[in-house]
Amino acid sequence: MVNVIVAHERRLVRQALAKILGLQNQISVIGDAATGPDAVAKAEELMPDVIVVDSVLPGLNGMLGKDNGGKSKPEVVIFPHHNGDNPQSPVSHLTYDDNIADLIEAVLGAAGQKVDVDTPPISRSTLNKLTIREQQVLPLLAD
């Protein structure tokens, strides 16, 4: 099981990403954060395997991925604010133009998990469990 924290300043995006990732059998979303300091505090407390974070998260200022006194550091998957961003430290980075399968692959890959790209990330029965609003937002995130 890959334990993940989702960090994004916009609640809707945090909730949508957490919902999508949480539908995967191999992924457990154990927390979320709206600011950089909150993401760092949650990472220290919850010790996730991966943090999915927006590159312009308020107050982040490169705090993730820094030396933390020898403790195990989570891997970081970053959504750059602009496609031209080139973060220095992340293992993987995505754009908002990538699709759900790319997100899942990045999270599992960052955690060192084998990724089966031929398996659909979300089944129809799982999609039916989403609320109407979540079903409306999901295609917007996938495109």
Side-chain angles (χ1 to χ4, degrees):
M1 182 68 65
V2 177
N3 292 317
V4 176
I5 291 176
V6 176
H8 198 287
E9 68 180 318
R10 298 189 186 277
R11 183 179 324 153
L12 177 63
V13 175
R14 274 195 320 273
Q15 290 174 342
L17 290 171
K19 186 74 159 187
I20 290 165
L21 292 171
L23 292 172
Q24 306 310 305
N25 293 332
Q26 320 91 305
I27 299 172
S28 175
V29 178
I30 58 173
D32 66 36
T35 67
D38 189 27
V40 171
K42 292 240 173 126
E44 289 173 354
E45 173 191 349
L46 301 174
M47 301 297 291
D49 301 305
V50 176
I51 299 176
V52 176
V53 64
D54 184 34
S55 67
V56 294
L57 189 66
L60 186 62
N61 299 327
M63 290 189 292
L64 294 173
K66 292 201 179 263
D67 183 26
N68 59 355
K71 295 181 192 171
S72 176
K73 292 183 278 191
E75 299 297 337
V76 180
V77 174
I78 290 189
F79 280 100
H81 187 63
H82 301 288
N83 289 349
D85 286 357
N86 187 14
Q88 297 286 342
S89 63
V91 168
S92 181
H93 64 275
L94 300 168
T95 69
Y96 287 104
D97 293 328
D98 289 326
N99 64 44
I100 292 170
D102 295 329
L103 169 65
I104 294 164
E105 184 176 347
V107 169
L108 294 175
Q113 297 282 328
K114 184 174 186 283
V115 179
D116 183 1
V117 295
D118 294 332
T119 302
I122 300 175
S123 69
R124 172 125 347 254
S125 64
T126 301
L127 283 174
N128 291 336
K129 294 176 186 175
L130 298 175
T131 67
I132 292 171
R133 183 64 184 145
E134 289 167 340
Q135 291 177 25
Q136 291 169 340
V137 171
L138 189 60
L140 300 173
L141 293 171
D143 289 338

